[in-house]
Amino acid sequence: MSTGRAVPDKILTNHDLEKMVDTTDEWIVTRTGMKIRHIAEEGVVTSDLAAAACRQALERANVTPEAVDVIIVATITPDMPFPSTACYVQDKIGAKNATAFDISAACSGFIFGLVISNALIKSGSYKNILVVGAETLSRMVDYSDRNTCVLFGDGAGAVLLQPSDGKRGLMSHFWESDGSLSHLLFTPGGGSKHPATHETVDQKLHFIQMAGREVFKYAIKAMSSAANIAIEKAGISVEEVDLLISHQANNRIIQATAQMAKVPPEKVYSNIENYGNTSAASIPIALDEAFETGRLKAGQRCLMVAFGGGFTWGSAVVQF
Ligand code: UT7
C-alpha cells in the first residue's frame, strides 16, 4: 500500500473566522481542537485535489497510471452531480484502463471504499486500486453560520491497494448505517427532493446543516463501539494496535473514542488543528502524514474509525 495527499495552500485561521462570524479562537480551539483549515482556490475542484493525491501514491509505489484497474472516490462534494468525480480523476491522471466510480458515505466514505476495494482485490481480478477521500467542503459551507463554518476544510488523501501476502492487509472491518438519523447531518438542496431553484438557494438549502450536539453524542458511541468490534474481529488485543486514526471531526470525539476503546493517548493520531474536518479525506490525509513522519511504519497495525452523515460509521484494522 502506498499513500498520497493534496491540500490547498490557502489557509483560513480561527482569527480569520472571528472577523466573519460571532466566534472566538478560544471557543473553536476548546470545543473542537481546530486552529486552521485549508481552502481550495477558486477554480480548483475536488477532482484536482484527488488527482494530485493519486499521482503521489502512484509515484511512491512506482506504478504507472495505465496499470490502475479501479478508482474509487469517496466524496460529498463531487465536481458535479454527475459524472462521477472518479471519472474526472481517471482522465486527469491518465488511468485509461481503469473503471472509475464514486461512493457516497460522507465522513465514513474512505473506510467504505477500503472495504469495497479489499473485496475486489480478494476476488483476484484486480491488482491496483486507488481509493481516494477528497473534499472541497468550503463550497458547501455557509460562511455566515457559526455552527458549521468553523468546522470544515478542503483536501484529499489517496491509497493504492495491491494484493499482498497473507500477513499484510485488512485484518478486519465493520461498517454500519442508520438512515433514520439522516436529518441530523445533511445537505437538503440540489437533489431530487429539492432541485436547485432560486428559492432553494435563498433558503440556503445547498449548505451543510448539522445538529452538532446530537451528532457529537452518536459519533462517540458509534465510533468507540466500531473500534472495539474491529479489534475483536481482527483477533488481537487493543495493546497490539500501534496507532489509532479516527475521522478528524472534533478533538473531543477523537479523545473520547480512544478512551472508550482503551487506546492510550500516545497511540492516538490527531492533526485536526491543521485541517479541520475534511470529511472523507481526513483519514487518508492522516494516514499519509503518519507514514511520512514515521508515526506508522511497515509491520505495524493501524485501527481506523469513522462516523458521518447518513448516519454511516465504520472501522478497520490494517496490518502494514
Ligand atoms: O464529520 C461528521 C460528523 N460531525 C461531527 O462529528 C461534529 C459533531 N459535533 C461537534 O463537534 C460539536 O457538537 C460542535 C463543535 C459542532 C459544537 O460543540 P458543542 O460543544 O456541542 O456546542 P453546542 O452545539 O452545544 O453549542 C454551545 C454554544 C451554543 O450557544 P448557547 O445556545 O449555549 O448560547 C452555540 O450557539 O456554543 C454556540 N456556538 C458557538 N459559539 C462560538 C456554536 N458554534 C459556535 C462558534 N463560536 N463557532
Side-chain angles (χ1 to χ4, degrees):
M1 183 194 270
S2 72
T3 61
R5 72 177 188 275
V7 177
D9 293 334
K10 189 175 156 189
I11 279 171
L12 183 68
T13 67
N14 290 352
H15 296 295
D16 294 331
L17 286 157
E18 282 176 345
K19 294 176 201 135
M20 296 159 70
V21 287
D22 181 15
T23 192
T24 60
D25 173 55
E26 200 264 332
W27 190 96
I28 302 171
V29 173
T30 315
R31 299 290 180 123
T32 71
M34 298 170 187
K35 290 185 179 164
I36 61 170
R37 59 293 288 143
H38 296 252
I39 304 295
E41 294 284 356
E42 209 182 319
V44 173
V45 293
T46 299
S47 64
D48 292 323
L49 299 175
C54 286
R55 280 189 207 103
Q56 197 175 50
L58 289 173
E59 272 165 30
R60 285 175 175 168
N62 209 12
V63 169
T64 63
E66 292 80 7
V68 175
D69 300 306
V70 183
I71 302 171
I72 301 175
V73 175
T75 186
I76 50 166
T77 48
D79 291 11
M80 300 178 195
F82 82 93
S84 70
T85 299
C87 281
Y88 287 111
V89 174
Q90 178 201 20
D91 186 45
K92 284 177 184 175
I93 67 172
K96 52 184 179 222
N97 300 311
T99 298
F101 61 94
D102 289 358
I103 55 171
S104 174
C107 307
S108 312
F110 177 74
I111 298 274
F112 282 32
L114 213 54
V115 174
I116 294 166
S117 45
N118 184 57
L120 291 175
I121 295 267
K122 280 203 165 146
S123 75
S125 304
Y126 307 98
K127 288 200 165 59
N128 291 298
I129 302 185
L130 282 165
V131 184
V132 196
E135 305 285 6
T136 45
L137 291 156
S138 60
R139 307 271 157 76
M140 273 175 57
V141 165
D142 176 3
Y143 283 102
S144 66
D145 174 16
R146 71 175 183 173
N147 291 298
T148 52
C149 76
V150 303
L151 302 174
F152 297 102
D154 301 338
V159 300
L160 178 72
L161 296 178
Q162 297 172 309
S164 64
D165 59 50
K167 289 186 198 125
R168 288 177 303 145
L170 195 72
M171 294 178 72
S172 68
H173 78 268
F174 172 75
W175 54 351
E176 208 158 47
S177 309
D178 185 349
S180 71
L181 300 169
S182 56
H183 57 286
L184 296 175
L185 177 53
F186 68 137
T187 298
S192 61
K193 185 158 186 173
H194 302 291
T197 61
H198 290 293
E199 286 73 30
T200 61
V201 173
D202 290 345
Q203 291 163 14
K204 300 188 171 188
L205 298 187
H206 54 297
F207 290 130
I208 295 176
Q209 297 185 7
M210 179 170 73
R213 216 173 294 183
E214 293 299 307
V215 177
F216 187 91
K217 279 191 291 191
Y218 279 103
I220 293 175
K221 212 168 135 215
M223 284 169 79
S224 55
S225 154
N228 287 329
I229 293 170
I231 290 171
E232 198 186 317
K233 283 173 118 182
I236 59 171
S237 69
V238 68
E239 288 76 28
E240 292 172 279
V241 169
D242 295 296
L243 194 67
L244 167 65
I245 297 184
S246 282
H247 166 49
Q248 308 282 303
N250 184 317
N251 202 40
R252 289 182 292 150
I253 297 177
I254 297 169
Q255 302 310 330
T257 301
Q259 215 170 17
M260 288 170 78
K262 299 195 168 52
V263 177
E266 65 275 12
K267 287 186 177 177
V268 179
Y269 195 85
S270 175
N271 61 8
I272 195 165
E273 66 175 57
N274 298 325
Y275 298 104
N277 181 348
T278 57
S279 189
S282 87
I283 291 180
I285 288 174
L287 196 59
D288 185 60
E289 270 191 357
F291 276 120
E292 204 171 76
T293 55
R295 280 291 297 277
L296 198 54
K297 298 183 188 77
Q300 291 191 320
R301 285 191 192 113
C302 180
L303 167 64
M304 302 172 209
V305 55
F307 180 89
F311 286 153
T312 56
W313 60 99
S315 55
V317 175
V318 179
Q319 167 82 56
F320 290 99

